Amino acid sequence: MKFVSIIIGSKSDYEVMKECGKTLEKFGVPYELIISSAHRSPERTKNYIKDAEKRGAVVFIAAAGMAAHLAGAVAATTIKPVIGVPMSSSDLRGEDALLSTVMMPAGMPVATLAIGKAGAINSAYLAMQILAIDDDELNVKLTEDRIAKAKKVETDSSEIEVRL
């Protein structure tokens, strides 16, 4: 079975990253979520990635704060797509994590998203877009979601519009 793997660097990341899981659940996309650290448990991280690949992980989402090397550690271990979500867990409000996640060397790509909740939700959407390349049912669900979002803008506007 194909699934999305979410790896968070510490338990403190869960409150934000549970939004990623909720988004995947909304579309019926299987996922698993674990805590593993690039620094504190590098062997656990590496072993998990290899095991998850064997079991059907298609996309990895890695969320971490501060030095945020988790996404890079995942990218170093797999050729599957890796999506990084910087967490706002330091005095720098996530800017350090953003730079650590986005500044990968050539040939080791990590798709880096926004800091925090928006990044968590968008990581689910990006993972689903990757899965939808060869999943017509998911493609339809994502298309319908996009149409619903556009209609909501029109509805919201009609409730407050002032036109000449």
Side-chain angles (χ1 to χ4, degrees):
M1 167 183 60
K2 292 181 181 181
F3 67 93
V4 174
S5 170
I6 305 168
I7 307 170
I8 61 177
S10 67
K11 191 173 181 180
S12 63
D13 301 327
Y14 178 71
E15 281 306 307
V16 171
M17 289 307 294
K18 72 181 179 183
E19 298 300 324
C20 176
K22 286 181 187 177
T23 304
L24 293 168
E25 288 171 7
K26 176 179 154 187
F27 287 86
V29 173
Y31 74 92
E32 56 187 36
L33 182 147
I34 71 158
I35 298 171
S36 196
S37 170
H39 299 108
R40 295 181 302 272
S41 59
E43 286 303 311
R44 172 181 166 80
T45 302
K46 183 178 177 181
N47 292 337
Y48 168 75
I49 293 163
K50 293 299 183 188
D51 178 62
E53 282 183 321
K54 289 177 189 170
R55 294 183 293 107
V58 177
V59 180
F60 289 90
I61 297 172
M66 299 177 77
H69 294 298
L70 183 57
V74 174
T77 307
T78 183
I79 60 166
K80 304 283 190 213
V82 177
I83 301 168
V85 182
M87 294 285 102
S88 180
S89 60
S90 74
D91 292 339
L92 297 177
R93 300 182 324 267
E95 291 180 29
D96 49 347
L98 174 64
L99 292 173
S100 295
T101 306
V102 78
M103 296 301 296
M104 293 296 298
M108 301 301 288
V110 170
T112 306
L113 300 178
I115 298 167
K117 184 177 176 180
I121 292 169
N122 281 339
S123 70
Y125 274 97
L126 182 54
M128 290 186 294
Q129 289 173 335
I130 293 167
L131 292 171
I133 290 170
D134 65 358
D135 183 333
D136 292 337
E137 184 179 333
L138 184 56
N139 195 314
V140 168
K141 288 178 182 179
L142 288 169
T143 300
E144 289 171 351
D145 181 68
R146 190 69 60 95
I147 292 167
K149 283 177 171 39
K151 285 182 180 176
K152 182 167 180 357
V153 170
E154 291 175 20
T155 300
D156 289 350
S157 182
S158 71
E159 293 172 1
I160 64 167
E161 278 182 14
V162 176
R163 289 185 171 210
L164 296 177

